[in-house]
Amino acid sequence: MLPRDLSPWGMFMQADIVVKAVMVGLVFATAATWTVWLSKTIELVRLRRNARAALRELANARCTDDAVRQVGEGAVAQLLEGAVTELGLSTDRMDKEGIKARIASRLQQIEAAASRRVAFGTGVLATIGSTGPFVGLFGTVWGIMNSFIGISKSQTTNLAVVAPGIAEALLATALGLVAAIPAVVIYNLFARQIASYRALLGDGSAEISRLVGRDLDSGTLLVRRHLAAAE
């Protein structure tokens, strides 16, 4: 008869302190993975819905002034605000192509900042996915090492001596996989969703550039009058 309880909880309670630390760390990593999944899923759903609504408003706008009045809050609104700010800093004597280039540069900067914000937190998933199996492997190696120490001390290869350490090692391996596999899958899912969101921001920048170019080529900077009135 085996002298130990080989249920998962029993193996954890009777494991070496190092193996316990590995298991606890992997459990916390698993909890962190699902916490990031929940928070980022809610955030991405909200951001993508907001961006799509803003793109519809931009498509219906005939000039930059219309877009300013129609587009609500969000990343696309920040892009529009950046374009309006650059228009406000420009004068009639400036070259139109230079103004367009500066607006495009400002839009790229705002778009990159929004992309960094939405990607914040996903690096944790990449770290867990890449290190989880190795942390579990460390617990495996430590558990097997304890098994060999038990064999050496008891001078026997009886299964009752070997089984507890091997079981602890296998449990650590399983927890490592439980932590790593969802993290990798969720990270790849978020990577696709973030790329889709970035594409929406790129569409917003292109639409804003068209509106600004339309205003500049028509010779009327209606946004400047709007800003002057607001001041």
Side-chain angles (χ1 to χ4, degrees):
M1 298 293 294
L2 297 178
R4 295 193 185 187
D5 177 15
L6 293 184
S7 66
W9 180 250
M11 286 186 290
F12 171 77
M13 293 303 297
Q14 299 173 34
D16 183 84
I17 185 63
V18 175
V19 180
K20 279 184 178 179
V22 169
M23 292 180 183
V24 170
L26 291 172
V27 169
F28 275 112
T30 303
T33 295
W34 291 107
T35 301
V36 171
W37 168 78
L38 180 61
S39 61
K40 297 303 290 186
T41 297
I42 296 173
E43 179 184 3
L44 282 168
V45 168
R46 177 179 57 83
L47 291 176
R48 292 168 70 186
R49 183 186 296 120
N50 182 277
R52 290 192 183 98
L55 286 175
R56 288 193 295 269
E57 297 296 339
L58 285 177
N60 295 328
R62 298 183 61 85
C63 63
T64 314
D65 264 352
D66 289 343
V68 170
R69 288 191 295 267
Q70 295 173 9
V71 176
E73 298 181 351
V76 177
Q78 293 176 359
L79 291 170
L80 184 59
E81 182 182 353
V84 170
T85 300
E86 188 59 43
L87 279 175
L89 296 174
S90 303
T91 63
D92 293 331
R93 293 190 298 271
M94 291 183 178
D95 180 64
K96 294 180 181 178
E97 295 303 319
I99 295 175
K100 293 178 183 178
R102 286 190 293 274
I103 289 176
S105 175
R106 186 183 287 264
L107 292 178
Q108 290 176 359
Q109 186 178 23
I110 296 173
E111 186 177 339
S115 299
R116 288 193 297 269
R117 285 195 301 270
V118 75
F120 179 77
T122 58
V124 175
L125 299 176
T127 301
I128 294 173
S130 60
T131 61
F134 296 103
V135 175
L137 180 61
F138 172 75
T140 300
V141 172
W142 196 273
I144 293 175
M145 182 180 66
N146 286 338
S147 296
F148 282 114
I149 292 174
I151 292 173
S152 176
K153 289 181 178 180
S154 62
Q155 298 296 316
T156 179
T157 58
N158 191 301
L159 183 62
V161 176
V162 179
I166 298 296
E168 296 166 9
L170 294 176
L171 180 60
T173 302
L175 289 176
L177 295 176
V178 167
I181 293 174
V184 172
V185 173
I186 294 172
Y187 177 81
N188 291 332
L189 175 64
F190 282 158
R192 292 192 296 270
Q193 293 180 347
I194 291 173
S196 174
Y197 176 67
R198 288 173 176 168
L200 292 175
L201 294 183
D203 292 342
S205 295
E207 191 66 38
I208 291 170
S209 296
R210 283 193 291 269
L211 289 174
V212 170
R214 191 180 301 157
D215 285 344
L216 289 173
D217 293 338
S218 66
T220 56
L221 293 179
L222 302 178
V223 167
R224 180 179 301 168
R225 191 161 64 240
H226 172 75
L227 292 177
E231 293 175 354

